[in-house]
């Protein structure tokens, strides 16, 4: 029976820690690190929610999930209903529950967190998604009758998947174009198995396929067909460009062309997409040696550090020119990397890669830094300390300092306006580009950001595209959402008999 | 999508020509471009230059030299087999009417040279080809190259056909006798392209080379193919594959081509071992 708790009782419950595999064990393999809540933990954690009258968590969610409602459903053991509530706004909860930076979003503004730790909203989201997966009961949302419109989505990462789901539900015929041989974008090539099992991504993509989304892999828009051709002879009424931030940045320091320096993108793609960790069972090799430095301290850099450990590296050093407080990675990722034995060198900037006569990396010259005045990003500027340089002996260096916009599509598309960084310029509300009927969103517009922000952009673009196709003025997202709920979109998602069974089971 | 192999024939020892049904790429292909292929779930993605395309029949032709595990395994495929192909990638060759163009091809480099030579001919150029191989039978695509060339010279290492020696010797002789061409295009092993570029540099003859590097995605995402050109890192997949031969850092290119030499050798050894075992078992 669900308990009725007072506010004081709720606040007295400590936040439930996330069960995780022991660090010494987990660095031996690529299995998922965090185990997930049990039903009891999930209910207990959900009971910490104060059910605020004006919940701030919802405003901090890029896709506006009705968090108090889903958490309340969890507290009452109605897990399927909780998932249906999430899925009304977020089609990929098993993924977002794992990779969203909740501490900077919903959990940052959680009122429970004012006096202690916030409700573990992300862990609860993951729990309900896994609960349904575990029961093999992934259900399709109901789609509207066919509209007759054809939509092409360029890129199958988070923005593309979110957009595809929404537009298919609206009855449009959706094709997703993917340049690589497997769909999923960064969810497949970038984020490692131990943080996001690929089976989850495959299941989400299979769900979309069953809803009617067509995936065309091995198709590079801008090369295999241009935007003009897709809008012309291929017969697409609308395109949504969400090609992501696929261009790796290098440091621009001497020695960077040496053998043993690679981008985080290359390293992670070899391991994740091409399964290079299982060479020679898989044909793509990975060669990083025993001592590795990863440059950067964002989520991608953490993924590289932890992947390198799992490949058997003896020493993995993370070089970052600021301190832990400024590191862009999620706290959980930093903590996991620390537990697993990554050697963090804060305030350390590489200034030269050193190599031998065969062009093979032997080390890196590092300069110590100190923090100065804030720069344009608002973070303290790292300032070199004169005469502080030292050499670290290494076999390889992985550069994980960020990605920019891949110019392949934009350069092949006349009339598509981009900014000086090469990001596509869109109209703020509608997300339409300088080409009528061509929309864009995600990292290709904002520069490298997060999975959830890209999904938010994909979802908003879907709404805008739907209005454009139907020839109706775009209404604000809030109203659109209310309409959708009134349209019984939510009711269609909740299987009533299942909900009853779950309740009975809980009692 | 689903590309499919239609025909495979062995055009020289360890050289196979694949005719692949891929109508979209066939229609879009321009001289100088390449595709990435994947032969099965556990395979690696490898870049291969398109040797020919037929927009009407919807086919592309790839000529592959069997040098490592992946290319040897590809050689065991059969007509009718599916194959994953993505492209056409890279910038097409810039074609204009230059005048006389000398096309220098070495070994497997003759295959990517063919569509470029043809496009130059179609662009009104006088095409003079100088092709080199270790032996006569390794001089691939001779009839096709002869068809597009107004003048053609051959060299072999062993003197079994044409001039005994290197393509650079013939290029020397050609320039001596006929004067400077307006353009030289050289495709082949990095050492050959470097030698040609060094030869034309003092003469100031514009020289284009097409680079073959390690790639994972082929769309600018991994940066594994980067090579210093004019002192700046360039991505062969999206900025190339063709570059000004006088600006390419060939020494670094050669080193970077050898990054995975050890792993490639291990994979090749294992593949040959298992392949031979199977053959023996099958024979018994």
């Amino acid at each position: 029976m669900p308990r009725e708790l007072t506010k004081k009782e709720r606040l007295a419950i400590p936040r439930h820690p996330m069960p995780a595999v022991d660090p010494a064990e987990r660095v031996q393999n690529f299995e998922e690190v965090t185990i997930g809540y049990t039903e009891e933990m999930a209910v207990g954690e959900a009971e910490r929610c104060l059910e605020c009258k004006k919940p701030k968590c919802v405003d901090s969610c890029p896709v506006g999930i009705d968090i108090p409602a889903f958490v309340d459903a969890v507290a009452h053991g109605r897990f399927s209903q909780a998932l249906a509530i999430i899925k009304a706004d977020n089609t990929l909860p098993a993924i977002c529950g794992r990779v969203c930076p909740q501490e900077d979003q919903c959990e940052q503004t959680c009122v429970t967190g004012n006096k202690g730790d916030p409700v573990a909203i992300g862990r609860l989201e993951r729990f309900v998604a896994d609960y349904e997966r575990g029961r093999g009961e992934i259900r399709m949302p109901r789609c509207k009758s066919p509209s007759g419109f054809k939509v092409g989505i360029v890129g199958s990462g988070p923005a593309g998947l979110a957009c595809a789901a929404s537009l298919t539900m609206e009855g449009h015929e959706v094709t997703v174009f993917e340049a690589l041989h497997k769909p999923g974008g960064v969810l497949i090539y970038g984020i490692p198995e131990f943080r996001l099992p690929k089976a989850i991504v495959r299941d989400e993509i299979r769900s979309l396929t069953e809803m009617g989304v067509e995936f065309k892999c091995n198709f590079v828009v801008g090369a295999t067909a241009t935007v003009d051709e897709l809008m012309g002879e291929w017969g697409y009424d609308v395109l949504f460009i969400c090609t992501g931030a696929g261009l790796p940045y290098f440091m621009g320091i001497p020695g960077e062309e040496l053998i043993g320096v690679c981008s985080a993108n290359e390293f992670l793609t070899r391991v994740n997409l091409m399964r290079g960790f299982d060479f020679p069972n898989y044909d793509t090799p990975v060669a990083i040696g025993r001592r590795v430095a990863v440059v950067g301290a964002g989520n991608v850099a953490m993924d590289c550090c932890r992947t390198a450990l799992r490949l058997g590296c003896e020493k993995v050093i993370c070089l970052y020119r600021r301190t832990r407080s400024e590191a862009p990675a999620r706290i959980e990722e930093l903590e996991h990397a620390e537990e697993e034995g990554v050697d963090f060198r804060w305030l350390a900037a590489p200034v030269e890669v050193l190599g031998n006569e065969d062009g093979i990396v032997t080390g890196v010259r590092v300069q110590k830094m100190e923090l100065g005045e804030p720069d344009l990003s608002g973070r303290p500027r790292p300032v070199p300390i004169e005469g502080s340089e030292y050499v670290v002996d290494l076999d390889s260096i992985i550069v994980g300092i960020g990605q920019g916009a891949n110019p392949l599509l934009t350069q092949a598309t006349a009339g598509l306006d981009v900014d000086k960084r090469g990001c596509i310029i869109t109209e703020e509300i509608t997300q339409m580009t300088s080409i009528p009927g061509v929309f864009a969103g995600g990292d290709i517009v904002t520069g490298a950001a997060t999975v959830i922000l890209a999904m938010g952009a994909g979802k908003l673009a879907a709404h805008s595209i739907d209005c454009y196709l139907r020839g109706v003025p775009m209404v604000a997202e809030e109203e659109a959402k209310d309409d959708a709920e009134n349209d019984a979109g939510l009711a269609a998602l909740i299987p009533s008999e299942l909900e009853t069974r779950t309740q009975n089971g809980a009692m | 999508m689903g590309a499919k192999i239609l025909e495979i024939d062995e055009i020289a020892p360890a050289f196979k020509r694949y005719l692949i049904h891929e109508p979209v790429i066939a229609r879009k292909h321009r001289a100088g471009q390449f595709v990435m292929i994947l032969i099965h779930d556990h395979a690696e993605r490898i870049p291969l230059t398109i040797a020919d395309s037929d927009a009407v029949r919807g086919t592309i032709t790839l000529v592959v030299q069997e040098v490592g595990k992946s290319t040897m395994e590809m050689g065991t495929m059969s007509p009718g087999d599916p194959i994953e192909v993505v492209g056409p990638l890279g910038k097409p060759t810039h074609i204009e009417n230059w005048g006389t163009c000398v096309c220098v091809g070495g070994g497997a480099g003759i295959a990517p040279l063919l569509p470029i030579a043809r496009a130059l001919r179609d662009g009104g150029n006088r095409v003079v080809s100088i092709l080199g191989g270790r032996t006569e039978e390794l001089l691939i695509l001779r009839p096709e190259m002869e068809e597009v060339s107004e003048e053609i010279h051959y060299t072999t290492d062993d003197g079994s056909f044409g001039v005994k020696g290197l393509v650079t010797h013939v290029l020397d002789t050609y320039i001596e006798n006929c004067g400077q061409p307006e353009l030289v295009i050289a495709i082949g092993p990095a050492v050959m392209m470097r030698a040609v570029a060094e030869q034309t540099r003092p003469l100031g003859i514009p020289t284009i080379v097409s680079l073959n590097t390690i790639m994972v995605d082929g769309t600018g995402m991994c940066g594994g193919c980067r090579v210093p050109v004019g002192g700046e890192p360039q991505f062969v997949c999206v900025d190339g594959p063709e570059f000004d031969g006088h600006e390419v850092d060939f020494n670094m290119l050669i080193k970077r081509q050898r990054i995975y030499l050890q792993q490639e050798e291990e994979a090749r050894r294992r593949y040959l071992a298992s392949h031979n075992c199977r053959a023996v078992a099958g024979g018994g």
Side-chain angles (χ1 to χ4, degrees):
Chain A
M1 280 288 283
R3 299 185 290 170
E4 287 310 321
L5 300 174
T6 65
K7 190 174 165 185
K8 205 173 162 187
E9 285 170 323
R10 290 174 189 274
L11 282 171
I13 308 170
R15 178 170 158 122
H16 292 67
M18 180 57 128
V21 182
D22 183 69
E25 184 189 333
R26 72 193 190 217
V27 293
Q28 307 293 325
N29 61 52
F30 280 85
E31 305 289 310
E32 190 170 19
V33 165
T34 52
I35 298 162
Y37 280 166
T38 60
E39 288 185 32
E40 290 71 30
M41 287 177 189
V43 170
E45 183 62 28
E47 283 175 338
R48 300 181 63 233
C49 177
L50 298 175
E51 297 171 359
C52 310
K53 286 221 166 56
K54 287 187 179 168
K56 293 184 176 163
C57 49
V58 182
D59 296 335
S60 315
C61 172
V63 294
I65 294 172
D66 188 350
I67 294 167
F70 107 74
V71 172
D72 181 62
V74 175
H76 291 83
R78 297 196 292 264
F79 305 136
S80 296
Q81 184 193 2
L83 185 67
I85 293 166
I86 295 173
K87 279 202 165 176
D89 295 298
N90 178 354
T91 42
L92 307 171
I95 295 171
C96 292
R98 286 172 166 80
V99 303
C100 263
Q102 290 97 5
E103 67 260 30
D104 299 326
Q105 297 172 354
C106 53
E107 294 182 20
Q108 188 179 47
T109 52
C110 169
V111 175
T112 304
N114 287 347
K115 289 187 181 140
D117 293 322
V119 175
I121 299 165
R123 294 169 187 174
L124 291 176
E125 180 183 29
R126 169 181 164 172
F127 167 77
V128 293
D130 286 0
Y131 178 83
E132 193 180 59
R133 273 173 50 78
R135 293 161 60 110
E137 283 167 351
I138 298 172
R139 283 170 308 275
M140 295 308 115
R142 198 171 296 162
C143 298
K144 289 184 185 168
S145 52
S147 68
F149 291 113
K150 256 177 93 173
V151 180
I153 295 179
V154 185
S156 67
L161 297 181
C163 191
S166 298
L167 286 172
T168 304
M169 280 159 72
E170 293 299 330
H172 307 302
E173 185 186 332
V174 175
T175 306
V176 181
F177 298 98
E178 168 56 48
L180 292 169
H181 57 279
K182 283 183 191 165
V186 73
L187 306 171
I188 287 288
Y189 77 75
I191 303 177
E193 180 79 20
F194 57 81
R195 201 149 75 80
L196 177 64
K198 300 305 151 223
I200 291 173
V201 183
R202 281 198 297 273
D203 285 352
E204 300 285 12
I205 286 164
R206 193 185 311 134
S207 301
L208 290 175
T209 309
E210 284 168 15
M211 279 166 68
V213 177
E214 182 195 14
F215 286 89
K216 271 191 198 289
C217 288
N218 293 319
F219 197 113
V220 183
V221 176
T224 312
T226 61
V227 165
D228 272 358
E229 288 164 343
L230 290 177
M231 296 289 280
E233 59 199 87
W234 288 72
Y236 287 94
D237 298 294
V238 156
L239 289 182
F240 176 57
I241 301 172
C242 45
T243 47
L247 184 78
Y249 288 147
F250 286 91
M251 300 175 285
I253 63 173
E256 215 166 5
E257 72 286 0
L258 293 171
I259 297 167
V261 183
C262 75
S263 70
N265 265 1
E266 177 176 359
F267 175 60
L268 292 174
T269 303
R270 283 179 180 274
V271 176
N272 298 330
L273 176 73
M274 305 310 296
R275 319 302 277 180
F277 61 86
D278 198 9
F279 179 87
N281 249 337
Y282 284 79
D283 292 343
T284 303
V286 185
I288 53 170
R290 288 174 306 167
R291 291 176 57 88
V292 180
V294 175
V295 184
N299 291 320
V300 171
M302 291 309 104
D303 286 344
C304 291
C305 288
R306 300 172 67 200
T307 298
L309 286 171
R310 283 160 176 77
L311 290 173
C313 290
E314 285 164 16
K315 185 80 176 169
V316 177
I317 298 165
C318 176
L319 299 171
Y320 182 56
R321 57 191 185 145
R322 293 187 172 91
T323 72
R324 191 180 191 277
S325 318
E326 290 82 35
R330 295 170 65 206
I331 291 165
E332 185 180 279
E333 308 309 328
L334 286 169
E335 285 172 355
H336 281 153
E338 285 163 345
E339 288 166 12
E340 290 171 9
V342 173
D343 178 358
F344 282 91
R345 308 278 177 93
W346 306 114
L347 295 166
V351 290
E352 184 187 3
V353 183
L354 308 170
N356 63 18
E357 65 278 10
D358 294 325
I360 298 169
V361 168
T362 56
V364 63
R365 192 185 306 281
V366 174
Q367 175 143 50
K368 287 189 186 168
M369 312 294 275
E370 59 189 352
L371 293 184
E373 292 300 306
D375 62 13
L376 286 176
S377 73
R379 296 175 298 177
R381 185 192 302 276
V383 182
I385 301 172
E386 288 304 316
S388 66
E389 292 184 15
Y390 64 100
V391 170
V392 182
D393 293 339
L394 294 171
D395 297 320
S396 63
I397 298 169
I398 299 166
V399 184
I401 56 172
Q403 296 90 234
N406 188 321
L408 198 153
L409 182 145
T410 50
Q411 284 179 1
T413 310
L416 184 65
D417 290 348
V418 297
D419 66 17
K420 60 181 188 298
R421 298 174 302 163
C423 294
I424 297 176
I425 298 169
T426 57
E427 208 271 323
E428 197 183 349
I429 305 293
T430 63
Q431 293 180 241
M432 203 192 287
T433 66
S434 53
I435 302 175
V438 177
F439 297 74
D443 285 4
I444 188 64
V445 170
T446 59
T450 62
V451 167
I452 189 70
L453 284 171
M455 283 188 56
K459 188 184 149 199
L460 280 173
H463 173 57
S464 167
I465 288 167
D466 185 54
C467 294
Y468 172 83
L469 287 172
R470 295 182 194 279
V472 297
M474 187 176 166
V475 288
E477 170 67 3
E478 270 311 300
E479 286 172 48
K481 203 172 119 186
D482 292 345
D483 284 353
E485 280 165 15
N486 292 340
D487 281 355
L490 189 57
L493 285 163
I494 304 175
S496 50
E497 72 278 28
L498 185 81
E499 187 192 329
T500 319
R501 248 191 291 136
T502 315
Q503 272 183 312
N504 289 341
M507 279 194 280
Chain B
M1 300 287 286
K4 199 165 78 174
I5 296 178
L6 296 179
E7 290 168 23
I8 306 177
D9 58 317
E10 190 160 4
I11 59 169
F15 270 100
K16 290 207 174 81
R17 174 162 48 193
Y18 299 81
L19 187 70
I20 294 173
H21 183 70
E22 204 353 312
V24 180
I25 298 177
R27 205 153 48 104
K28 290 288 289 184
H29 164 239
R30 297 289 173 272
Q33 292 185 301
F34 68 96
V35 290
M36 299 292 299
I37 65 136
L38 183 79
I39 58 174
H40 59 69
D41 216 29
H42 285 217
E44 59 180 338
R45 294 166 61 95
I46 51 174
L48 294 170
T49 310
I50 303 170
D52 203 355
S53 60
D54 185 331
V56 179
R57 291 176 65 197
T59 57
I60 58 168
T61 302
L62 304 175
V63 172
V64 183
Q65 185 178 20
E66 296 178 358
V67 288
K69 193 232 170 185
S70 296
T71 46
M72 285 192 280
E73 196 177 9
M74 186 175 176
T76 65
M77 296 177 82
S78 310
D81 283 351
I83 182 167
E84 301 210 44
V85 185
V86 59
L89 301 170
K91 292 184 175 159
T93 310
H94 175 69
I95 302 289
E96 56 179 90
N97 192 344
W98 309 91
T100 297
C101 298
V102 174
C103 294
V104 183
I110 298 171
L113 189 62
L114 172 63
I116 297 170
R118 181 179 291 140
L120 286 169
R121 194 251 339 242
D122 294 347
N125 291 280
R126 179 169 180 273
V127 173
V128 175
S129 296
I130 303 172
L131 307 181
R134 275 186 291 137
T135 63
E136 177 181 8
E137 56 187 357
L138 292 173
L139 281 169
I140 57 169
L141 303 173
R142 271 165 48 198
E144 291 85 350
M145 283 301 294
E146 281 168 16
E147 196 256 318
V148 300
S149 309
E150 205 158 301
E151 184 179 331
I152 195 158
H153 305 269
Y154 295 104
T155 72
T156 47
D157 291 1
D158 62 356
S160 56
F161 191 76
V163 176
K164 181 177 172 164
L166 301 174
V167 288
T168 42
H169 299 153
V170 177
L171 181 58
D172 249 346
T173 317
Y174 175 82
I175 294 170
E176 231 177 80
N177 297 339
C178 307
Q180 293 201 0
E182 274 68 40
L183 181 76
V184 170
I185 295 204
I187 310 181
V191 284
M192 183 208 91
M193 294 190 284
R194 178 173 61 190
V196 171
E198 287 314 315
Q199 197 179 358
T200 57
R201 185 198 306 277
L203 303 173
I205 306 170
T207 301
I208 302 294
V209 294
S210 177
L211 306 186
N212 183 356
T213 55
I214 289 166
M215 294 181 190
V216 183
D217 63 293
T219 62
M221 205 183 81
C222 80
C225 64
R226 67 195 192 281
V227 170
V229 179
E232 287 295 313
Q234 296 282 303
F235 286 11
V236 172
C237 64
V238 289
D239 300 321
E242 291 172 15
F243 295 100
D244 178 348
H246 298 149
E247 297 289 333
V248 172
D249 181 344
F250 282 103
N251 294 339
M252 206 60 229
L253 172 75
I254 291 165
K255 285 172 184 164
R256 290 193 60 86
Q257 284 176 335
R258 297 165 59 90
I259 296 178
Y260 293 100
L261 202 63
Q262 202 186 323
Q263 287 80 6
E264 284 162 9
E265 190 43 44
E266 184 193 341
R268 201 176 76 97
R269 198 171 35 76
R270 278 171 178 265
Y271 177 74
L272 285 175
S274 71
H275 201 66
N276 291 341
C277 285
R278 273 208 302 276
V280 169

